[in-house]
Amino acid sequence: MEYWYALSDALSLNQLGQFHFLRPWWWLFMIPAVLLYRVALREPGNVSQWRDHMSPEILKHLVIEGNTRRWFSPRRMFLPFLLLITIVLAGPTWRQQPSPFLVDESVLVVALDLSSSMREADLKPSRLLRAKQKVNDLLDARGGGNTAVIALAGSAHLAMPITRDRDMASHILNALDWQVMPRKSKDLAQLIPLLERLLQPVAAPATVLLLTDRAANAAVQPFADYFASSGRKLVIWSVTANQGDTGQLNQLAEQSNATLVPYDATGDDIGQVNRIIRSHMVAAPDAALPWEDAGYFLLFLLATIHVLWFRKGWTLKW
């Protein structure tokens, strides 16, 4: 199943631009293949040899027409079968194999809203507790990597600098509470100056994960300006059951070119956020890495066509 997810990710425009064949000389096989196909479509020899000696009207009644005129026949399927064989032998590919020595240097910045509105209990027991649980589950699913934690309310404060210590990140998150914030109001725009200082020396890809319940219009323009110029990615995780709050977050996400992930009690949102974060990890290309041969997966289609030749009457006479 993992391969099909990787295959769907691989079919992007950038990677399709790298499409080529590992063994292009196998396309010369199509020359004898087309000749064989023309031979297969010829009239059987035992009929053609009588055309010079018998009347066409009589010969027409003596010959039993087979299924050669049908599009779904052994003769018609012969050329597609040879074409698929040629593609498999040529080795289509569009991406390189991942390096076994790849180290994930990307950074995840978790910005947790600790304003007074996060105490609301539309998500039991509270929005804040549910947000903490979601982040802890995400860190478990992520399995490691550089992580920083920011406490956000009427002001923004770096609660944990960038580190790979998963246990420390969980400990800091569990200790955060709205009571530790000097200003209990909500001002999401305060996050931007702190992000600039924190991520300015970071050359690796960075994803900012904002967990909040609502947004004000004053935060839209600062977010849009920063994420348009910095190259950083923003993911907004909505922690609310109020549809009115979700509309405000939609506006913030649209203007910031961000992805908005709604809260999901089943836990599907955790996997969605993790996939988004992983997609932002960029590995440096290595020309020495081997290319993946995608032709092997056409063998299943070849086998399906080949099974047809076991049907009664599916034969080719040369």
Side-chain angles (χ1 to χ4, degrees):
M1 203 64 180
E2 285 292 331
Y3 174 81
W4 298 113
Y5 284 127
L7 185 61
S8 62
D9 293 339
L11 294 177
S12 64
L13 292 178
N14 291 336
Q15 289 180 317
L16 283 180
Q18 301 178 0
F19 182 87
H20 64 281
F21 291 95
L22 297 175
R23 300 171 294 274
W25 290 109
W26 271 107
W27 279 102
L28 295 175
F29 175 73
M30 285 303 298
I31 298 176
V34 172
L35 294 177
L36 284 174
Y37 180 65
R38 292 179 62 87
V39 171
L41 291 181
R42 285 191 318 179
E43 190 177 48
N46 58 349
V47 174
S48 59
Q49 66 181 350
W50 287 104
R51 289 202 179 275
D52 296 333
H53 306 284
M54 297 184 65
S55 170
E57 290 77 11
I58 297 178
L59 185 62
K60 179 178 62 175
H61 295 285
L62 296 177
V63 174
I64 300 176
E65 294 289 344
N67 59 353
T68 58
R69 295 182 180 179
R70 300 177 183 176
W71 70 269
F72 190 67
S73 66
R75 293 186 181 183
R76 300 297 180 184
M77 296 300 295
F78 184 59
L79 185 60
F81 185 73
L82 293 179
L83 177 61
L84 284 175
I85 291 178
T86 305
I87 294 175
V88 172
L89 293 175
T93 184
W94 54 83
R95 68 172 186 171
Q96 292 174 288
Q97 296 179 6
S99 172
F101 306 106
L102 176 64
V103 178
D104 181 8
E105 296 294 345
S106 59
V107 177
L108 172 64
V109 179
V110 179
L112 179 61
D113 185 355
L114 296 176
S115 60
S116 56
S117 65
M118 292 292 286
R119 291 182 291 166
E120 295 184 18
D122 55 338
L123 299 177
K124 302 296 183 182
S126 70
R127 295 176 178 177
L128 179 56
L129 182 58
R130 287 301 182 188
K132 291 181 180 180
Q133 291 174 343
K134 290 292 186 181
V135 175
N136 279 310
D137 292 341
L138 173 65
L139 294 179
D140 289 337
R142 192 165 180 248
N146 294 314
T147 306
V149 179
I150 293 178
L152 180 64
S155 56
H157 305 271
L158 182 61
M160 187 186 72
I162 299 173
T163 179
R164 288 184 176 272
D165 193 333
R166 161 69 181 86
D167 294 334
M168 179 60 68
S170 179
H171 176 74
I172 294 296
L173 281 168
N174 293 333
L176 290 177
D177 190 77
W178 67 276
Q179 294 177 336
V180 305
M181 301 302 294
R183 298 173 59 186
K184 308 300 189 292
S185 59
K186 188 191 303 291
D187 188 358
L188 298 182
Q190 295 295 321
L191 176 63
I192 303 303
L194 182 53
L195 286 177
E196 291 177 339
R197 296 193 300 270
L198 177 64
L199 298 178
Q200 192 277 331
V202 176
T207 302
V208 179
L209 177 61
L210 173 61
L211 294 99
T212 186
D213 54 355
R214 62 175 67 110
N217 292 333
V220 173
Q221 195 59 48
F223 269 70
D225 293 341
Y226 174 75
F227 287 100
S229 60
S230 66
R232 310 303 185 183
K233 301 297 183 180
L234 175 64
V235 179
I236 303 175
W237 205 340
S238 170
V239 192
T240 178
N242 190 331
Q243 295 299 320
D245 295 338
T246 305
Q248 297 172 339
L249 293 176
N250 266 316
Q251 181 182 1
L252 180 63
E254 290 176 2
Q255 296 297 322
S256 306
N257 195 25
T259 303
L260 177 63
V261 179
Y263 179 91
D264 190 342
T266 64
D268 290 342
D269 50 351
I270 298 172
Q272 181 182 354
V273 172
N274 191 35
R275 287 192 294 272
I276 296 172
I277 295 172
R278 289 178 59 186
S279 70
H280 294 163
M281 184 185 73
V282 178
D286 187 351
L289 293 176
W291 291 87
E292 291 186 353
D293 191 339
Y296 293 111
F297 297 91
L298 291 176
L299 293 176
F300 296 101
L301 184 57
L302 277 174
T304 303
I305 298 177
H306 185 65
V307 167
L308 296 175
W309 261 266
F310 289 91
R311 295 180 58 191
K312 184 178 181 180
W314 273 67
T315 58
L316 283 175
K317 295 183 180 179
W318 307 93

